[in-house]
Amino acid sequence: MNYLPYILKKEKYKKIKFKVSKTQHLLIKAKINGVKGNFILDTGASSSCVGFDSIELFQLKAKKSKTKASGAGANGMFTQIAVGNQLQLGNWKQLDFDLVIFDLSHVNEALIAHKAKPVHGIIGADILLKGKAIVDYFNFYLYLQ
């Protein structure tokens, strides 16, 4: 029997379902500032981010950033930052949450090329660390405290 859900519930963890895409990415639904979106759950991404094309959708107040983004297949990309946002994954909430904003088109082009749906952004290690994340790959659940 799998006791993990019972133990984690007792420890006040919230259970959030994710899916695995055709490209083997972990896909998770999230709300930013009350607006639903589709995200990649990426334990290797240092910061959570959204694409420039989602600034209006999520009602972000974008500011200039000196940070350059690097990721799979792309380096030195111009970024912006949006501070003080609300994030919700399932029943887990984070009320003062900063987001990096950058050009996600290369990510979405790769997904579309493999007949997978595009995403609004990436949920990264910043959130996973804050929520003391446990990823149950076998049952497709993310647990956050």
Side-chain angles (χ1 to χ4, degrees):
M1 184 166 178
N2 184 5
Y3 293 104
L4 185 65
Y6 303 104
I7 294 165
L8 294 178
K9 188 173 184 179
K10 207 171 143 183
E11 294 297 319
K12 307 247 187 294
Y13 272 83
K14 309 280 191 224
K15 183 166 112 172
I16 305 124
K17 188 78 175 158
F18 66 82
K19 293 180 180 177
V20 179
S21 74
K22 295 173 187 174
T23 55
Q24 298 296 301
H25 288 96
L26 307 185
L27 301 176
I28 195 161
K29 294 195 180 299
K31 281 186 186 175
I32 296 176
N33 300 327
V35 180
K36 290 180 189 174
N38 297 313
F39 293 81
I40 291 174
L41 180 61
D42 188 346
T43 61
S46 57
S47 301
S48 296
C49 57
V50 297
F52 285 124
D53 55 351
S54 295
I55 291 173
E56 283 184 38
L57 175 68
F58 295 119
Q59 303 147 23
L60 303 176
K61 292 175 182 72
K63 297 178 183 172
K64 289 181 183 175
S65 169
K66 290 183 176 130
T67 306
K68 295 272 192 247
S70 295
N75 287 313
M77 295 181 293
F78 170 74
T79 66
Q80 291 183 314
I81 191 158
V83 298
N85 299 286
Q86 293 180 14
L87 171 70
Q88 185 171 345
L89 297 162
N91 289 326
W92 185 86
K93 292 178 184 167
Q94 178 65 39
L95 296 178
D96 190 15
F97 163 65
D98 298 347
L99 268 170
V100 173
I101 307 164
F102 78 111
D103 184 1
L104 266 183
S105 61
H106 68 288
V107 172
N108 281 324
E109 284 166 14
L111 291 171
I112 292 164
H114 288 91
K115 307 217 178 340
K117 290 182 181 172
V119 295
H120 295 101
I122 296 166
I123 301 297
D126 53 348
I127 289 302
L128 300 175
L129 288 166
K130 200 167 276 191
K132 300 178 186 169
I134 296 171
V135 182
D136 178 355
Y137 288 94
F138 185 76
N139 294 299
F140 304 130
Y141 284 108
L142 168 68
Y143 292 89
L144 296 173
Q145 192 179 48

